[in-house]
Amino acid sequence: MTTTLGTWFETLRNTLTSARTIVLLVLYALLLVSFYFFISTREATAWQVFMTYALLLLVPAEFFIFQAAILDFAGQRRFGMKPVLLSALKLLLVTIPVVLIGAFVWWLMNKIQLHYLPPPAPAAFAPNPPRPQPVHWRPMLITTLRFVLFGVAFPLAAIHLWIEASVCDVRASFAGGVKKIFGTIGRALARAFSSEAVFVYGLGLILFVLGPYLFLFVPIHVKGTKTDFAVFLLRLLLAFIFTFIGWVVTLSTLVRTNATTEPVAVNAPATVAESPA
């Protein structure tokens, strides 16, 4: 864990001091702007409908280009638009099965939760205070499992599939047959749920989830409309910065941790001369 923590801090320092972070920041800003226009555009005119459908394709494309650029930055590869676009396409393809499995698991858990959810108690207007309700453990366990799966397991699986896809040769992978493909997927998923990967992702959650949540939703009481608006803009800016830094550092650290745990090819051992009896 000490080595992993050192890698995390080194990645944070490189992210804050590297000039290539500006490119990532521009891609991140374009993604936010496109997403804002997508959710704010109303389908009233033909032009607005066209914009909505165009942004429906543009936002996922910008998202995967952003992820591919982070992987390129973390792998210290030479930045080029064509390799990044090709890598983004591969990330999209490996994400589709994860999304489909996740959607099925979400639907299944909704069914299970509805089955075990206790019926609402009838409203009663009694003079005495109501008795405390018992704790329903099954819905609580289902909610906890939902967070573990969709907040940790599926994102980690997707990230490590991205890492594997960004460096693999598609032709060589398919030439190796189905066994090689599933073996590569199995190794990527095994690394995704290792203690180092979970530890790095947990640190990232503090930055790109907990930090923005505190900045946006913890109430701060100030006097004056202008001051309140300025504080709101500052909180919004800090939330965006922490989300950006947290995600870039998390993904980059996972790439570097994954590189250090890759199996090293071992050459045939040299023949050792037998000592005379």
Side-chain angles (χ1 to χ4, degrees), residues 102-121:
F104 173 75
V105 173
W106 185 275
W107 171 83
L108 185 62
M109 294 192 70
N110 283 340
K111 292 291 184 179
I112 296 174
Q113 189 166 5
L114 288 176
H115 178 73
Y116 287 111
L117 193 67

Side-chain angles (χ1 to χ4, degrees), residues 32-224:
L32 291 180
V33 170
S34 300
F35 183 73
Y36 169 76
F37 280 108
F38 174 72
I39 62 176
S40 63
T41 303
R42 298 180 179 179
E43 296 81 2
T45 64
W47 172 250
Q48 290 175 330
V49 172
F50 172 76
M51 282 294 297
T52 300
Y53 282 106
L55 291 172
L56 185 63
L57 299 176
L58 182 62
V59 170
E62 290 179 343
F63 173 79
F64 287 108
I65 290 174
F66 178 51
Q67 311 311 317
I70 296 174
L71 296 176
D72 184 87
F73 166 76
Q76 298 180 350
R77 296 186 291 269
R78 185 176 180 181
F79 183 81
M81 202 59 195
K82 184 177 179 180
V84 169
L85 291 177
L86 179 61
S87 180
L89 180 59
K90 292 191 289 186
L91 301 191
L92 171 63
L93 293 178
V94 300
T95 305
I96 292 176
V98 179
V99 172
L100 294 178
I101 295 174
F104 173 75
V105 173
W106 185 275
W107 171 83
L108 185 62
M109 294 192 70
N110 283 340
K111 292 291 184 179
I112 296 174
Q113 189 166 5
L114 288 176
H115 178 73
Y116 287 111
L117 193 67
F125 301 95
N128 298 327
R131 297 179 179 179
Q133 297 294 325
V135 178
H136 301 283
W137 291 105
R138 287 178 178 177
M140 185 180 299
L141 290 175
I142 293 174
T143 303
T144 304
L145 181 61
R146 190 190 298 270
F147 168 75
V148 171
L149 288 176
F150 294 95
V152 179
F154 281 112
L156 270 176
I159 288 171
H160 280 78
L161 289 176
W162 291 350
I163 296 172
E164 194 68 36
S166 65
V167 296
C168 76
D169 188 347
V170 179
R171 292 182 179 179
S173 298
F174 281 98
V178 178
K179 184 178 180 180
K180 182 178 179 180
I181 294 175
F182 279 98
T184 303
I185 294 174
R187 288 191 296 272
L189 295 180
R191 289 191 296 267
F193 303 118
S194 63
S195 58
E196 290 83 3
V198 175
F199 177 68
V200 170
Y201 188 75
L203 290 176
L205 284 177
I206 298 175
L207 283 180
F208 64 81
V209 174
L210 181 60
Y213 175 82
L214 295 177
F215 286 129
L216 292 177
F217 297 106
V218 172
I220 298 178
H221 302 286
V222 294
K223 295 182 179 180

Side-chain angles (χ1 to χ4, degrees), residues 175-269:
V178 178
K179 184 178 180 180
K180 182 178 179 180
I181 294 175
F182 279 98
T184 303
I185 294 174
R187 288 191 296 272
L189 295 180
R191 289 191 296 267
F193 303 118
S194 63
S195 58
E196 290 83 3
V198 175
F199 177 68
V200 170
Y201 188 75
L203 290 176
L205 284 177
I206 298 175
L207 283 180
F208 64 81
V209 174
L210 181 60
Y213 175 82
L214 295 177
F215 286 129
L216 292 177
F217 297 106
V218 172
I220 298 178
H221 302 286
V222 294
K223 295 182 179 180
T225 305
K226 293 183 180 180
T227 306
D228 189 25
F229 183 69
V231 170
F232 170 74
L233 290 181
L234 179 61
R235 296 172 70 177
L236 200 63
L237 179 62
L238 288 174
F240 288 155
I241 291 175
F242 269 70
T243 304
F244 170 76
I245 294 177
W247 183 251
V248 172
V249 171
T250 300
L251 199 56
S252 301
T253 306
L254 289 174
V255 171
R256 294 174 182 179
T257 305
N258 183 76
T260 58
T261 56
E262 284 287 347
V264 181
V266 180
N267 296 327

